[in-house]
Amino acid sequence: MVNKNEKIVDFGYKFVKKTEKQKLVNNIFDSVASKYDLMNDITSLGIHRSWKKNLINWLAPQTNQTLADIAGGTGDIAYMFLNAGGNSAHVYDINEEMIQIGKQKYRNINKLYWTIASAEKIPVLDNSFDRVTMSFGLRNITDKNKSLKEIYRILKPGGRFICLEFSHMENEFLKKFYDLWSFKIMPVIGYKVTGDKEAYEYLVESIRKFPTQAEISQMLSVIGFSRVRYRNLSNGIVALHSGWKF
Ligand code: SAM
């Protein structure tokens, strides 16, 4: 039961107490962690790799740059940053299971560091990183504004943030097929592979509830990011949001 004075937030299409959302999100990633990478490939038909590649291409890592990848999960972005020439990469994620899988997957990679931490309170001094990324994380975070402010805080002046997240399609006709895939097919595949249908219903619902490209751009600008831009990929199924700290 939700008390009138308690803050409520969305959890997919449901409403839950603000203080409970993180626990529910953690349960989801605990439940799917061991199959997370496989499911990403199946549900996106492998396209998530190309979306992540687009992020790295836009970020254009340099040999002297350090990265913080927030809600970094099993570490794909951090690894790709290093592979593209970045100096060092630090993954922060609230979920130990996800981090353990990433550590195992990238156990032979140097200058890749892992920390269990919330995006709403990153255990890092101000002005620490040249680049910050967040890939498919923001949607899951209870207080998005707070975590974006944290990201701004830990970026060095002159630093850049890029967020990759599911977004909203431009073409109404294509959206009908995407909806069919998302609501009817994806939860069934999710259930068959992970045994957790609800996790994939949450995935689809949380995507539809996520702010639009223009709304995220507005949030970044209000926080203080400069040169805020976004790029739609796959007709807006996902978007890359970029902002600089000057
Ligand atoms: N970035 C990875 C990728 O692109 O594959 C993982 C994305 S996964 C969909 C979302 C990640 O957000 C999970 O690893 C989850 O544990 C993490 N997460 C959820 N809430 C978080 C929070 N408050 N702080 C940090 N990480 C969080």
Side-chain angles (χ1 to χ4, degrees), residues 104-115:
Q104 184 59 21
K105 183 166 64 162
Y106 294 122
R107 60 188 175 284
N108 297 324
I109 303 301
N110 294 326
K111 294 194 172 181
L112 175 56
Y113 309 99
W114 306 83
T115 305

Side-chain angles (χ1 to χ4, degrees), residues 111-124:
K111 294 194 172 181
L112 175 56
Y113 309 99
W114 306 83
T115 305
I116 300 169
S118 170
E120 293 178 21
K121 196 165 190 262
I122 308 168
V124 167

Side-chain angles (χ1 to χ4, degrees), residues 22 25-26 29 36-37 40 48 52 69-77 92-95 98 117-120 134-137 139-142 164:
Q22 188 67 61
V25 168
N26 291 349
F29 288 102
Y36 174 78
D37 290 323
N40 261 354
H48 76 102
K52 288 172 176 167
D69 183 36
I70 311 299
T74 59
D76 284 356
I77 296 293
Y92 295 88
D93 196 285
I94 205 164
N95 191 299
M98 293 289 280
S118 170
E120 293 178 21
M134 190 186 246
S135 157
F136 302 116
R139 206 182 59 248
N140 300 294
I141 289 173
T142 307
L164 168 62

Side-chain angles (χ1 to χ4, degrees), residues 161-179:
F161 169 54
I162 298 190
C163 170
L164 168 62
E165 189 50 274
F166 286 103
S167 200
H168 300 274
M169 289 189 79
E170 299 158 309
N171 183 299
E172 283 302 315
F173 180 71
L174 293 178
K175 188 171 171 294
K176 288 199 171 62
F177 290 100
Y178 178 52
D179 281 346

Side-chain angles (χ1 to χ4, degrees), residues 23-230:
K23 204 169 78 199
L24 295 168
V25 168
N26 291 349
N27 289 345
I28 284 185
F29 288 102
D30 280 343
S31 153
V32 303
S34 62
K35 303 263 172 61
Y36 174 78
D37 290 323
L38 173 67
M39 275 307 294
N40 261 354
D41 278 328
I42 296 175
T43 56
S44 74
L45 307 173
I47 301 169
H48 76 102
R49 292 166 189 273
S50 141
W51 293 331
K52 288 172 176 167
K53 188 105 202 332
N54 270 275
L55 185 162
I56 296 296
N57 287 346
W58 203 12
L59 200 64
Q62 305 294 310
T63 48
N64 58 345
Q65 290 173 346
T66 55
L67 172 79
D69 183 36
I70 311 299
T74 59
D76 284 356
I77 296 293
Y79 167 71
M80 290 167 85
F81 176 85
L82 292 172
N83 206 31
N87 178 274
S88 64
H90 300 244
V91 176
Y92 295 88
D93 196 285
I94 205 164
N95 191 299
E96 193 175 353
E97 300 276 323
M98 293 289 280
I99 285 195
Q100 286 309 335
I101 288 170
K103 272 187 175 170
Q104 184 59 21
K105 183 166 64 162
Y106 294 122
R107 60 188 175 284
N108 297 324
I109 303 301
N110 294 326
K111 294 194 172 181
L112 175 56
Y113 309 99
W114 306 83
T115 305
I116 300 169
S118 170
E120 293 178 21
K121 196 165 190 262
I122 308 168
V124 167
L125 296 176
D126 297 358
N127 309 323
S128 289
F129 286 97
D130 301 295
R131 298 290 180 260
V132 179
T133 49
M134 190 186 246
S135 157
F136 302 116
L138 193 57
R139 206 182 59 248
N140 300 294
I141 289 173
T142 307
D143 193 335
K144 295 175 183 44
N145 212 40
K146 191 170 174 187
S147 81
L148 291 173
K149 281 184 182 161
E150 275 291 88
I151 286 168
Y152 189 82
R153 179 184 71 73
I154 69 167
L155 262 180
K156 288 181 188 169
R160 184 184 189 188
F161 169 54
I162 298 190
C163 170
L164 168 62
E165 189 50 274
F166 286 103
S167 200
H168 300 274
M169 289 189 79
E170 299 158 309
N171 183 299
E172 283 302 315
F173 180 71
L174 293 178
K175 188 171 171 294
K176 288 199 171 62
F177 290 100
Y178 178 52
D179 281 346
L180 184 73
W181 170 257
S182 314
F183 286 101
K184 300 286 180 213
I185 301 170
M186 212 199 289
V188 177
I189 301 176
Y191 176 65
K192 289 223 159 31
V193 179
T194 65
D196 189 340
K197 190 166 169 228
E198 279 178 15
Y200 287 87
E201 283 169 352
Y202 160 75
L203 168 71
V204 175
E205 292 173 8
S206 64
I207 292 169
R208 298 307 188 278
K209 296 285 284 190
F210 192 69
T212 62
Q213 289 87 330
E215 286 165 338
I216 294 292
S217 301
Q218 172 73 5
M219 279 170 87
L220 293 174
S221 298
V222 169
I223 286 167
F225 286 96
S226 304
R227 287 165 57 188
V228 172
R229 307 269 185 282
Y230 75 84

